[in-house]
């Protein structure tokens, strides 16, 4: 698995990999790319240009939409030439570009089945690998069509590496580890310095992101009869940018200028926005060409002046406004308006891709076809009134076509989103960075990737990915103001022995004092008196105690992993602020002479209730109970010791240490863990 950011250059990466593969003796390269004609054509064009596939030399290119009967024979000859003592420049690597669609994949399977491929080094590049190819019928113990065809492709390639490129790895990380598409290793790509992504828009330059008012979003209870004000505002800012670009050299000087309108996945909605923009373009072009410069002209120019000032406030390099006005009607009139759909609007032919070289400025209206993988050249303004829908995090992130290498013209960029979508992107930034950091750290360990813990932060409002590709359910939670407690600490004798040793060590190393948890009542019994090591460094407690502690029960281990993830994140945040996170550790009732025991539930084996309640009165005048033994704003660790763990049939374990940990309310983050 190769993980990049959205619009960060993953295509250039796998193009480079293909070139390196050819230089290192790979005879066959298969690029699975694009689930639509638009995306497939875009990818074929990039590979053709960057690898110079149309030039004589080291490549023999094929496309899945152009396979012919005689291709198998021609390919076989090219593969066999590698076995002859020929100069390298007389050997060709076969490169096959395939749309990730059942008809195209069946054609590839038929082609490969006719070839002798034993001993042929092959690399398969699956672009947007978390899309389309995963098994959507895994919960029914069946295979979906595309998934089954990919398995057939791999079965026909005896010597191959399968590279999965994606910017949203959630699905690939959460599918069952025994799935044939579960990755064996992960590499994280680093973008160029001019890249502007989630951190740029949702942490550093929030002024570039604007919230679309609820009144501007069409809904059954809020039908719109014309273009909403926020759409007109976005269009004005876009056209000011187009005019500025025209005055400074146009496409030759700095590439295209584009706007993307993504209202819905439904085609009829695209038609509405297309007509609104079309009518607005015609009206503005007519008004701005008014030689008499009447009242309507003055009103529109005033509105455009507001848009001009807005762009100037974010650092856009703009000519004087008077010069902008002179070319504004041309900017509006020459901008190409187009619907980009997999299913064309009624009366319109399906598109064949965008001719970026022919026209300077474009406005694209669409839905799913403008999602994952599609590159909008020179995108400056995005208007997306589409909501979260089912709130799959990977799907929402893939809609962020406005990410990319925009540093030189970032001041011209604007992103209009709904309020809930803005909140989702802000939370996604932390999730994305934490996953990337964890993958990088694990890559240098040399351990099998199956051992990487599938544990990360993700806002509770978001689902990581579509549920139909996950054979096993993940576990979610938040420790905000809650306790972690071991429920089956006795299940592993070796772990119990190791934990006793760890606790003995910290008892010797740390300084302990009688606790002063109120009420410090004189009638408190030894069972209500504890020792505390207070004000310890959280980093030290994590390193010396919590990480070495062995939590063996699978259910406890999942929750404990999430706890450690939470605490490590807290420690990092404190380090950034120059603060030190503190922790209090309690030895519970170390002076009690009576035998301490707890009983377990007969069906689950979990301790029924680790914590002692208020005593001797229910109101807690003398002792409020174990749950009250904690700090208000520090992590609290309680170490309990059970002489016996009992069931209804007798003693099941002896001398068992148990740990419980309380997390302050302000420390909690939403986490997700996969049980593998």
């Amino acid at each position: 698995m190769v993980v990049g950011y959205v619009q960060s250059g993953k295509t250039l990466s796998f193009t480079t990999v293909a070139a390196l593969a050819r230089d290192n003796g790979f005879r066959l390269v298969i690029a699975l790319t694009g689930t639509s004609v638009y995306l497939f054509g875009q990818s074929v064009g990039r590979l053709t240009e960057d690898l110079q596939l149309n030039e004589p030399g080291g490549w023999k290119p094929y496309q899945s939409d152009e396979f012919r009967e005689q291709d198998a024979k021609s390919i076989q000859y090219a593969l066999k030439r590698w076995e002859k003592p020929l100069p390298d420049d007389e050997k060709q690597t076969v490169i096959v570009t395939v749309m990730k669609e059942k008809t195209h994949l069946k054609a590839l399977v038929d082609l490969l089945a006719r070839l002798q491929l034993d001993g042929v080094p092959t690399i398969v590049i699956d672009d947007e690998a978390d899309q389309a190819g995963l098994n959507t019928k895994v919960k029914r113990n069946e295979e979906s069509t595309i998934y089954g065809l990919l398995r057939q492709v791999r079965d026909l390639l005896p010597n191959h590496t399968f590279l999965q490129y994606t910017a949203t790895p959630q699905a690939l990380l959460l599918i069952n580890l025994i799935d044939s598409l579960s990755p064996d290793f992960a590499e994280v790509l680093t973008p160029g310095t001019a890249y502007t992504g989630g951190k740029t828009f949702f942490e550093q330059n929030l002024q570039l992101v604007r919230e679309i008012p609820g009144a501007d979003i069409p809904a059954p209870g809020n039908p719109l009869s014309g273009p909403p004000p926020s759409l007109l505002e976005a269009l004005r800012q876009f056209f000011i940018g187009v005019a500025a670009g025209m005055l400074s050299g146009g496409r030759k000087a700095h590439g295209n200028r584009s706007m993307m309108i993504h209202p819905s996945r439904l085609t009829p909605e695209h038609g509405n926005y297309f007509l609104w923009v079309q009518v607005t373009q015609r009206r503005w072009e007519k008004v701005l060409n008014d030689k008499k410069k009447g009242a309507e002209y003055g009103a529109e120019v005033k509105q455009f002046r507001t848009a001009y000032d807005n762009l100037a406030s974010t650092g856009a390099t703009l000519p004087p406004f008077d010069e902008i006005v002179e070319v504004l009607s041309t900017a509006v009139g020459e901008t190409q308006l187009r619907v980009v759909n997999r299913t064309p609007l009624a009366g319109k032919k399906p598109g064949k891709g965008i001719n970026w070289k022919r026209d300077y400025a474009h406005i694209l209206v669409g839905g799913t076809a403008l999602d994952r993988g599609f590159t909008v050249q020179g995108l400056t303004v995005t208007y997306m009134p589409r909501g979260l829908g089912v709130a799959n995090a990977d799907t929402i992130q893939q809609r962020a076509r406005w990410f990319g290498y925009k540093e030189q013209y970032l001041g011209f960029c604007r992103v209009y989103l709904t309020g809930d979508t803005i909140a989702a992107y802000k939370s996604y930034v932390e999730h994305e960075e934490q996953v990337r950091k964890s993958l990088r750290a694990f890559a240098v360990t040399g351990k099998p990737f199956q051992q990487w813990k599938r544990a990360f932060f993700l806002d509770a409002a978001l689902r990581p990915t579509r549920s139909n590709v996950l054979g096993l359910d993940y576990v979610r939670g938040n420790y905000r103001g809650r306790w972690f407690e071991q429920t089956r600490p006795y299940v592993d004798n070796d772990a119990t022995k190791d934990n006793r040793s760890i606790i003995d060590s910290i008892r010797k190393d740390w300084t302990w004092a009688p606790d002063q948890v109120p009420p410090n009542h004189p009638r408190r019994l030894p069972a209500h008196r504890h020792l505390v090591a207070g004000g310890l460094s959280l980093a030290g407690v994590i390193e010396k105690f919590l990480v070495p502690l062995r939590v063996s029960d699978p259910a406890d281990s999942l929750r404990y992993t999430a706890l450690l993830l939470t605490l490590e994140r807290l420690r990092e945040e404190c380090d950034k602020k120059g603060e030190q996170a503190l922790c209090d550790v309690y030895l519970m009732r170390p002076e009690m002479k009576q035998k301490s025991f707890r009983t377990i539930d007969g069906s689950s084996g979990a301790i029924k209730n680790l914590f002692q309640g208020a005593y001797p009165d229910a109101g807690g005048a003398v002792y409020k109970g174990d749950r009250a033994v904690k700090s208000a704003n520090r992590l609290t660790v309680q170490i309990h010791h059970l002489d016996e763990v009992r069931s209804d049939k007798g003693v099941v374990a002896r001398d068992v240490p148990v740990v419980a940990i309380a997390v302050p309310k302000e420390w909690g983050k939403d986490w997700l863990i996969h049980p593998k």
Side-chain angles (χ1 to χ4, degrees):
M1 181 177 70
V2 185
V3 183
Y5 288 117
V6 169
Q7 296 288 328
S8 66
K10 296 185 299 300
T11 302
L12 181 59
S13 172
F14 69 67
T15 301
T16 305
V17 167
L20 288 166
R22 188 259 178 277
D23 290 346
N24 284 277
F26 280 74
R27 306 182 202 175
L28 176 61
V29 174
I30 299 173
L32 308 171
T33 178
T35 58
S36 69
V37 173
Y38 285 110
L39 293 179
F40 182 62
Q42 177 180 271
S43 297
V44 169
R46 288 181 182 176
L47 286 169
T48 300
E49 181 175 354
D50 291 343
L51 294 176
Q52 299 181 337
L53 298 183
N54 289 334
E55 301 296 325
W59 296 102
K60 197 174 184 68
Y62 294 87
Q63 293 177 206
S64 59
D65 58 343
E66 298 176 351
F67 285 158
R68 301 172 301 171
E69 181 70 24
Q70 60 267 41
D71 285 343
K73 184 176 181 180
S74 179
I75 291 172
Q76 193 72 69
Y77 274 115
L79 298 177
K80 287 291 185 183
R81 288 180 70 84
W82 286 84
E83 299 173 8
K84 300 177 181 179
L86 298 171
D88 283 351
D89 59 3
E90 294 186 23
K91 301 174 183 177
Q92 289 181 300
T93 291
V94 175
I95 183 167
V96 184
T97 313
V98 184
M99 187 189 297
K100 204 160 26 169
E101 184 272 339
K102 63 180 181 181
T103 303
H104 290 249
L105 285 170
K106 285 179 180 177
L108 175 64
V109 169
D110 291 342
L111 174 68
L112 296 178
R114 297 164 60 191
L115 300 174
Q116 296 294 324
L117 296 171
D118 287 334
V120 175
T122 302
I123 191 163
V124 181
I125 297 166
D126 186 357
D127 187 22
E128 306 294 350
D130 59 309
Q131 182 194 32
L134 299 182
N135 189 7
T136 59
K137 296 182 179 180
V138 62
K139 291 184 177 179
R140 303 194 313 223
N141 287 323
E142 300 175 12
E143 287 189 354
S144 51
T145 302
I146 303 298
Y147 177 80
L149 288 167
L150 289 181
R151 282 175 55 90
Q152 290 183 52
V153 168
R154 298 188 66 186
D155 288 343
L156 290 166
L157 299 170
N159 306 95
H160 78 278
T161 293
F162 194 88
L163 289 182
Q164 302 167 301
Y165 272 79
T166 184
T168 47
Q170 292 86 351
L172 293 173
L173 294 173
L174 294 175
I175 59 176
N176 199 311
L177 293 184
I178 63 172
D179 192 297
S180 64
L181 293 181
S182 179
D184 298 311
F185 64 93
E187 294 291 335
V188 179
L189 299 178
T190 301
T193 55
Y195 178 73
T196 55
K199 289 190 289 186
T200 302
F201 285 92
F202 297 100
E203 286 187 354
Q204 300 164 1
N205 291 279
L206 294 175
Q207 70 273 25
L208 302 178
V209 180
R210 307 296 168 90
E211 181 175 348
I212 302 174
D216 288 6
I217 301 173
N222 184 45
L224 301 181
S225 58
S230 57
L231 175 60
L232 297 177
E233 177 185 300
L235 285 167
R236 290 188 183 99
Q237 291 178 347
F238 172 66
F239 287 128
I240 290 290
V242 173
M246 286 180 167
L247 291 170
S248 61
R251 191 178 65 81
K252 289 184 178 180
H254 47 70
N256 297 96
R257 285 286 184 265
S258 300
M259 178 176 179
M260 181 180 80
I261 301 174
H262 187 146
S264 168
R265 65 179 180 82
L266 302 175
T267 301
E269 288 287 334
H270 308 162
N272 292 338
Y273 280 84
F274 176 87
L275 290 174
W276 289 343
V277 175
Q278 186 180 62
V279 170
T280 299
Q281 271 187 278
R282 290 173 179 173
R283 184 172 68 82
W284 283 351
E285 186 181 9
K286 179 181 178 181
V287 170
L288 292 169
N289 277 322
D290 181 9
K291 295 181 180 179
K292 296 181 179 180
K293 299 183 179 180
E296 190 175 3
Y297 172 89
E300 285 299 341
V301 168
K302 183 178 180 180
Q303 295 271 33
F304 275 103
R305 177 69 203 216
T306 300
Y308 176 93
D309 292 341
N310 195 292
L311 289 176
S313 71
T314 55
T317 303
L318 295 166
F321 183 66
D322 291 345
E323 295 181 20
I324 291 282
V325 172
E326 290 298 316
V327 299
L328 199 51
S329 63
T330 303
V332 173
E334 291 189 0
T335 294
Q336 300 297 303
L337 173 63
R338 182 165 184 173
V339 172
V340 181
N341 279 325
R342 285 193 172 100
T343 304
L345 296 175
K348 293 186 177 296
K349 295 181 180 180
K352 296 181 179 179
I354 312 299
N355 191 333
W356 300 107
K357 294 182 179 180
R358 186 181 63 195
D359 298 295
Y360 170 56
H362 300 262
I363 297 176
L364 306 182
V365 182
T368 305
L370 293 179
D371 267 359
R372 176 191 299 269
F374 190 84
T375 297
V376 182
Q377 301 285 352
L379 178 61
T380 55
V381 178
T382 299
Y383 188 84
M384 191 166 75
R386 182 175 184 173
L388 295 180
V390 296
N392 288 335
D394 52 358
T395 301
I396 294 167
Q397 182 71 351
Q398 286 288 355
R399 293 176 190 156
R401 299 293 100 196
W402 60 89
F403 293 170
Y405 291 89
K406 302 178 183 296
E407 186 176 71
Q408 291 185 339
Y409 59 92
L410 188 62
F412 287 96
C413 294
R414 291 293 184 272
V415 183
Y416 287 78
L417 304 170
T418 63
D420 57 350
T421 303
I422 292 173
Y425 278 113
K426 286 180 178 178
S427 68
Y428 189 93
V429 171
E430 179 183 16
H431 162 75
E432 180 174 51
E433 293 306 313
Q434 183 245 325
V435 171
R436 287 171 60 88
K437 179 181 177 182
S438 179
L439 290 174
R440 283 186 189 278
F442 190 85
V444 301
T445 66
K447 297 178 182 177
F449 189 60
Q450 286 76 6
Q451 294 181 18
W452 181 74
K453 291 184 178 180
R454 274 68 172 166
F456 35 77
F457 297 120
L458 184 64
D459 192 291
L462 299 176
R463 304 192 310 179
T465 188
R466 55 205 186 280
S467 60
N468 64 346
V469 300
L470 305 182
L472 298 173
D473 292 330
Y474 45 80
V475 179
R476 305 194 73 159
N478 190 307
Y479 283 114
R480 189 179 294 117
R482 297 173 55 199
W483 285 89
F484 164 85
E485 56 192 278
Q486 289 178 271
T487 61
R488 300 174 71 225
Y490 59 90
V491 295
D492 185 332
N493 290 332
D494 290 337
T496 300
K497 181 179 178 181
D498 289 346
N499 289 343
R500 288 194 209 107
S501 177
I502 293 168
I503 292 169
D504 287 343
S505 177
I506 65 171
R507 289 190 69 165
K508 295 175 183 176
D509 293 343
W510 293 346
T511 300
W512 303 87
D515 78 276
Q516 301 296 320
V517 177
N520 192 15
H521 200 283
R523 290 176 55 199
R524 282 173 65 173
L525 303 173
H528 308 142
R529 298 189 183 277
H530 319 297
L531 294 177
V532 60
L536 298 172
S537 160
L538 176 61
V541 174
I542 292 173
E543 179 184 353
K544 296 178 181 179
F545 182 41
L546 298 182
V547 169
L549 189 76
R550 293 182 59 185
V551 180
S552 298
D553 176 68
D556 286 351
S557 180
L558 279 177
R559 295 183 297 110
Y560 191 64
T561 297
L563 176 68
L564 292 179
L565 186 72
T566 301
L567 299 183
E568 185 60 29
R569 179 61 174 170
L570 170 73
R571 186 191 64 76
E572 291 175 356
E573 289 177 351
C574 288
D575 287 347
K576 289 179 182 178
K577 298 175 184 177
E579 302 172 355
Q580 185 179 45
L582 300 178
C583 176
D584 295 334
V585 180
Y586 287 83
L587 288 174
M588 304 298 286
R589 52 190 64 88
E591 299 176 1
M592 190 175 74
K593 305 302 181 184
Q594 305 98 305
K595 185 175 289 187
S596 174
F597 69 91
R598 292 291 185 271
T599 58
I600 62 174
D601 180 86
S603 57
S604 67
I607 292 175
K608 290 181 179 180
N609 190 4
L610 174 65
F611 297 108
Q612 180 175 312
Y615 186 86
D617 62 302
V622 176
Y623 183 66
K624 290 185 177 181
D626 290 355
R627 289 184 182 275
V629 181
K630 64 178 182 178
S631 306
N633 55 2
R634 297 177 181 175
L635 187 79
T636 300
V637 179
Q638 291 184 359
I639 302 172
H640 297 252
H641 177 266
L642 302 180
D643 293 299
E644 293 179 351
V645 177
R646 301 175 181 175
S647 70
D648 55 2
K649 296 180 181 179
V651 176
V652 297
R654 289 185 170 86
D655 193 11
V656 178
V658 189
V659 170
I661 302 171
V663 181
K665 288 183 179 180
E666 62 271 20
W667 285 17
K669 288 187 177 293
D670 298 321
W671 48 261
L672 179 150
I673 294 186
H674 189 266
K676 297 189 180 181

